Amino acid sequence: KDNNGSSSIDEQQIHPPLVFEIAAVNADKADIDLTEILLRTRKILSNPLLKDYGLSNVAVCITSFPLFVQKTELFPACNFIMGSDTMIRLLNPQYYGDKNALQKTKLSEDQIISSQKYSLIAALASMQCYGIKFIVGGRREKDGKFLSCNTILDQESFQVIPPSLKELFVEIKESDFRVDLSSSEIRKKENTESTT
């Protein structure tokens, strides 16, 4: 503040750092090459919405970490913003535990799945130690139903997750924000429009 008690910095421009992460290596998709990474980075940083909303403290980070348990170590005490489709992948036990090693044991398929569920819980507990939150926006599914964060956490398959770990997830209410397109769908639509 200056001598008159007025703020010398435009408070409209002050906001927490906003970091867009581009994962060059993905657990479900092909790796992204350098040309595509540079194209996506330019599109993010030149998006007019950043200026429209006064977002100036913005960066793009390129990582090679496909799993969120790795990302939380890189970005402790951060809020990760995601769609409900990404949240479902984050909570999928298949990404936790070493399935190849487990299959070499004499465990049944049910025991392997159970072991992976416990590995998921351990990973969530580890992520919680890093002080992160997952801010989740709902998404329309293929059947037309709207899938929200709380809807996912209420599903029977996720009842194994302790309530204290469910607190990692914060729902964005549908009335506050709703975009049914994923980032992949937005890029596909942009590419289609640019070729026509």
Side-chain angles (χ1 to χ4, degrees):
K1 295 194 175 196
D2 61 22
N3 294 338
N4 299 324
S6 302
S7 177
S8 57
I9 300 172
D10 183 356
E11 292 180 4
Q12 293 292 325
Q13 294 183 4
I14 298 172
H15 59 84
L18 178 62
V19 179
F20 292 88
E21 185 226 1
I22 298 176
V25 179
N26 194 295
D28 293 320
K29 303 171 188 173
D31 293 354
I32 305 171
D33 65 28
L34 180 59
T35 303
E36 180 64 19
I37 287 171
L38 293 173
L39 177 65
R40 291 186 190 184
T41 301
R42 274 195 300 273
K43 281 185 176 181
I44 290 168
L45 294 177
S46 64
N47 191 309
L49 289 174
L50 296 176
K51 186 175 181 182
D52 292 348
Y53 287 97
L55 300 173
S56 57
N57 195 6
V58 177
V60 176
C61 181
I62 316 302
T63 71
S64 58
F65 297 122
L67 303 177
F68 274 97
V69 70
Q70 299 164 317
K71 297 176 200 286
T72 54
E73 293 179 27
L74 186 63
F75 301 107
C78 284
N79 292 328
F80 289 85
I81 302 171
M82 63 179 57
S84 55
D85 54 332
T86 301
M87 178 183 170
I88 287 175
R89 288 196 299 275
L90 186 152
L91 292 175
N92 189 333
Q94 79 173 18
Y95 299 118
Y96 301 91
D98 187 341
K99 188 168 184 178
N100 291 332
L102 289 168
Q103 286 176 331
K104 292 176 184 174
T105 66
K106 294 183 179 181
L107 295 174
S108 68
E109 189 63 27
D110 285 345
Q111 289 171 319
I112 290 172
I113 291 169
S114 180
S115 175
Q116 288 180 298
K117 285 182 179 177
Y118 287 114
S119 293
L120 162 63
I121 292 168
L124 289 174
S126 169
M127 289 187 260
Q128 191 175 54
C129 290
Y130 283 99
I132 59 96
K133 291 282 185 189
F134 296 105
I135 313 299
V136 184
R139 186 79 47 82
R140 180 176 49 85
E141 293 187 288
K142 290 178 182 176
D143 63 4
K145 292 180 181 174
F146 185 74
L147 185 64
S148 71
C149 170
N150 290 341
T151 306
I152 293 168
L153 293 176
D154 288 342
Q155 290 179 4
E156 186 177 339
S157 55
F158 298 123
Q159 293 308 304
V160 67
I161 299 171
S164 61
L165 294 178
K166 288 183 179 182
E167 291 175 7
L168 281 166
F169 300 91
V170 178
E171 179 172 85
I172 300 173
K173 292 180 183 175
E174 183 181 0
S175 58
D176 292 334
F177 178 83
R178 176 171 174 173
V179 174
D180 290 324
L181 292 173
S182 68
S183 57
S184 299
E185 290 170 320
I186 291 169
R187 283 192 300 275
K188 186 177 178 182
K189 185 178 178 187
E190 285 176 348
N191 290 338
T192 302
E193 289 173 353
S194 65
T195 56
T196 54

